Amino acid sequence: MEEILTVKSLQKTIGQKRILNDVDLTLKSGEILGIIGPNGAGKSTLLKIISGTMIPTAGSVHFSERKGVIGIVPETPAILPALDGFRNLELLASIRKKIGKREIKEAMETVGLDPSNSKPAGTYSLGMKQRLMLAQAIMEKPRLLLLDEPTNGLDPVGIIDLRNLLFKLSDDGVGIIIASHLLREIEVMCHRVVIFSKGRIIREVNLQEQSQGFIEIAVSDLEDWKRLCQWSQENSNSLKELPSKGLPRGLLQTNLTVPDLLPQLIYAGIKIESIQTAEANLEAAFLECARSEGGLYR
Amino acid sequence: MIGMWRMETIKLVRHKRWLAVIPAFLITTFISLDNLCAYPKLELNVWDGIFSTFFNYVYFRFIVLLVFVFLVTDTITGDISSKWVYLTLSRCSDRAKWYITKVASIYSAALIYSLLGVSIVFLASLTKLPYAGSLSAFSTNPPDLFKAMGTYVIPKGGNPFTLTAQLILYTSFSLGTFALIPVTLSVIIPKGQIGMIFSLIWIFISQFFQSSRTWMKIDIIPRLVYGAFFYPDALLDFSVSGSLLYLFAVAIGSSIIGIWFVRKADF
C-alpha cells in the first residue's frame, strides 16, 4: 500500500502554549488510523492542520495527491439550517464542481438519508446531521477522510452503519483518520492507533498485532483478584487491571490459550466469572500509557 | 470561485434573520411618510417615499446601515463557530480566493438588501402616496420652509426610475464597503460579535460628531448616503466621484488587509 499522507516534525504553538510537539505520522492508502487521547491533547489541532484550516508553526504535511480531495467530518455538524440536506450538499459541491446531483444523491443514500426529504436541515436530529456530514465528506470521492468524533449523536444502528461504511471506503483505498474518545469504537474500526498526550504521540498501537496473547478475565471478588495477581507473578505473566464497576476485571498477557489457562486458574483456587480471548487491547495500552505518563489527565 | 461566491451569497441571504428587513423598512417608511404627510399642501408622489426614507441620514445610519451590518458582519466568526469554515476552506484551493468570495458575497448581499429595501419602501409608500411616472414638485422645488430646514433638492428634469436605480447601486456599493471594515476586523480578532459591536459604536459616534467638519471629512458614514449629493445646504459638499473613489479605496484597503490576515489565520 502506498503512503498517501506524511506528517513530519509537526509543531503548533498558540501564544505560549505548545499544542503539537514534533508529531510524525504516516498513513497508507486503505488504512484506518485512530487517534486517541484526553481533551486538549492536540487531536483536533492535528486534523485541522492536515485539512489546511490551521497553519503549523513548524514541520510539514504532505498529501501524495496534489489535487486530491480531502473529506472532513467536523466535531459538530456544520449545516445551513434553512436549506434541506440535498441543497446543503449541492452548495458545497458547487465549490469544487467535481460532482453532480447523481453523486450527491448516491452519497446521501449511502449514509441512510433520503435525498428527497425537503425538511430544513436545521430540524434534523443530531444523528441525521451527523449522517449529512458524512455524506458531504464522502460525496466527492476523497482519497483521505478525516473524522473528528464521528460517532457523536449516532444511535447504535448509525454507529454500525458508519463502521461498515468506513470498512468499504478502506477497501476502496481511502486513507482514514479518526479522532475519538471512544476506545471501543476506535478498537473495532481502526487498523492502527496513536495515543496522544500533551501534543505528542506517546505510543503507537498496531491493533492487529496486539490482539494476540491477551485474555480478559473477570473474577468473583477481591480475594480472587489477589490470588490471580499472585498466580500471574509466579508464572511470569503480565496482568493489567481494567476499570470496572462490577466484578474485578483484568487483562492477562500469556502464551496460553483459554482452554489451557482455565484449568490452571481453577487449580490455583481462583473463581472465574468470565474468561475470553481479548480481540484487541487498546484500553490496556491506553491505561499503560496513562500509568507511564503519570496519568494522561493530570 | 463562482460556485463558492454563489454558495456564500445564498448562505448569507437564506437566513431567518433577513425577516428583520421587512419590519425595519416598513417602520422607517411610515415614520418618514408621517413627517411628510403632516403638511397637507405638499405635492407628493410615491417616489418621495423612497427618497425621504433613503436620503435621511438618521434613518440611514440607525436602520438601513445597522440592519445590514447585523445581517452580514459575522460571516467569518459565524463560520468559525458553526464549523462551516472547515467544509468550505478545505474545498477551496487558496485562502485568498476564499476571502475574495466572501467579499464578493457581501456586495451581492448588499445588492439584494437594497433591492428588497427599495421594493418594501415603494410598496409601503403606495399605501399613502399616489403613483407617478415623474418626480414630484416637492422633490425638485420644495417649499421655503423645507429649504430652511435643509431638505434634499433633486435637479429638475430627473427621471425617478434612473435615480432609484442609481440609489440602489450606490447604496449597495456603500453598504458593502462599510461592512467590509468590521468583517476585516473579525478576521484579525475572531471573537463573537466583534464586527457588530464595532459598527454600532462607530455609527453612534458618527451621529454625535456630525456637526464637526473635520470628522465629516474623514468619516465614511456620511458618504454612504446617496442623498448626500442632493443637500444644497449641507455642512460638506460631497461629490459623487470623490465619494466613490474614497469608498473604492476603503474596499481595496480592507480586502488587502483581510487577505493578508486570512493567509495566516487559524480557524
Side-chain angles (χ1 to χ4, degrees), chain A residues 21-258:
Chain A
N21 195 356
D22 274 330
V23 173
D24 291 293
L25 200 70
T26 56
L27 184 76
K28 289 177 181 161
S29 129
E31 188 181 19
I32 307 179
L33 173 73
I35 302 176
I36 56 170
N39 292 331
K43 307 184 296 286
S44 296
T45 305
L46 177 65
L47 293 192
K48 284 178 187 176
I49 292 176
I50 294 171
S51 68
T53 52
M54 208 175 237
I55 296 175
T57 310
S60 65
V61 174
H62 177 69
F63 182 39
S64 66
E65 292 183 28
R66 249 189 90 237
K67 293 201 169 179
V69 173
I70 299 179
I72 299 167
V73 175
E75 198 176 349
T76 49
I79 52 159
L80 300 181
L83 306 180
D84 63 42
F86 183 82
R87 280 289 285 151
N88 264 274
L89 301 195
E90 199 180 30
L91 282 178
L92 286 170
S94 72
I95 299 174
R96 283 180 181 141
K97 287 200 175 83
K98 284 195 169 186
I99 56 165
K101 288 183 178 178
R102 189 174 55 83
E103 288 87 348
I104 297 171
K105 282 181 183 168
E106 274 174 14
M108 289 186 80
E109 281 161 1
T110 303
V111 300
L113 288 175
D114 177 11
S116 61
N117 182 354
S118 58
K119 277 190 352 191
T123 63
Y124 284 11
S125 67
L126 183 57
M128 282 173 80
K129 286 178 185 167
Q130 197 66 0
R131 284 170 189 263
L132 192 62
M133 285 299 95
L134 280 167
Q136 67 77 27
I138 63 166
M139 66 182 178
E140 288 156 314
K141 310 277 182 284
R143 291 283 293 130
L144 173 63
L145 192 58
L146 307 174
L147 303 104
D148 199 353
E149 304 291 351
T151 51
N152 272 354
L154 288 181
D155 55 21
V157 176
I159 293 173
I160 293 165
D161 286 349
L162 170 70
R163 203 184 293 159
N164 291 335
L165 173 65
L166 295 186
F167 289 152
K168 188 185 170 298
L169 291 169
S170 164
D171 289 344
D172 293 343
V174 178
I176 301 168
I177 301 181
I178 309 171
S180 178
H181 291 106
L182 300 177
L183 297 182
R184 176 68 191 151
E185 283 313 316
I186 289 272
E187 209 168 49
V188 177
M189 289 180 196
C190 300
H191 299 124
R192 191 160 58 95
V193 173
V194 290
I195 301 175
F196 252 70
S197 176
K198 294 160 193 161
R200 59 193 177 89
I201 295 172
I202 54 171
R203 179 149 177 202
E204 193 172 314
V205 182
N206 188 327
L207 289 170
Q208 286 149 338
E209 284 173 9
Q210 287 280 325
S211 64
Q212 295 162 2
F214 279 88
I215 293 172
E216 191 178 329
I217 303 167
V219 294
S220 295
D221 52 34
L222 284 173
E223 282 304 313
D224 286 311
W225 178 253
K226 282 177 191 165
R227 278 189 214 114
L228 182 62
C229 292
Q230 195 183 344
W231 182 89
S232 69
Q233 275 177 1
E234 284 167 3
N235 292 277
S236 307
N237 290 316
S238 127
L239 178 70
K240 292 175 190 120
E241 189 180 357
L242 295 174
S244 170
K245 282 186 178 172
L247 299 170
R249 203 162 60 97
L251 208 59
L252 186 74
Q253 189 171 22
T254 175
N255 293 324
L256 298 171
T257 59
V258 172

Side-chain angles (χ1 to χ4, degrees), chain A residues 76-78, chain B residues 74-86 190 192-193 267:
Chain A
T76 49
Chain B
D74 68 344
T75 179
I76 287 177
T77 51
D79 275 14
I80 296 170
S81 63
S82 70
K83 315 283 182 198
W84 184 257
V85 68
Y86 303 132
Q193 292 294 328
F267 294 105

Side-chain angles (χ1 to χ4, degrees), chain B residues 12 17-18 60-61 64-77 99 102-111 113-114 170-188 193-200 202-203 219-221 223-224 247-248 250-255 258:
Chain B
L12 275 179
R17 59 184 168 189
W18 273 70
F60 190 90
R61 269 196 185 93
V64 178
L65 182 58
L66 205 54
V67 170
F68 185 68
V69 162
F70 162 71
L71 295 176
V72 302
T73 48
D74 68 344
T75 179
I76 287 177
T77 51
Y99 190 73
K102 283 267 178 204
V103 170
S105 69
I106 288 170
Y107 280 107
S108 326
L111 181 62
Y113 177 76
S114 302
Y170 187 90
T171 306
S172 310
F173 181 58
S174 70
L175 287 176
T177 303
F178 181 82
L180 279 187
I181 301 167
V183 168
T184 307
L185 181 72
S186 73
V187 176
I188 302 165
Q193 292 294 328
I194 182 95
M196 185 69 204
I197 294 164
F198 170 79
S199 307
L200 197 63
W202 189 351
I203 289 168
D219 189 8
I220 191 176
I221 293 177
R223 292 176 189 270
L224 304 179
L247 292 175
F248 191 69
V250 171
I252 295 290
S254 302
S255 302

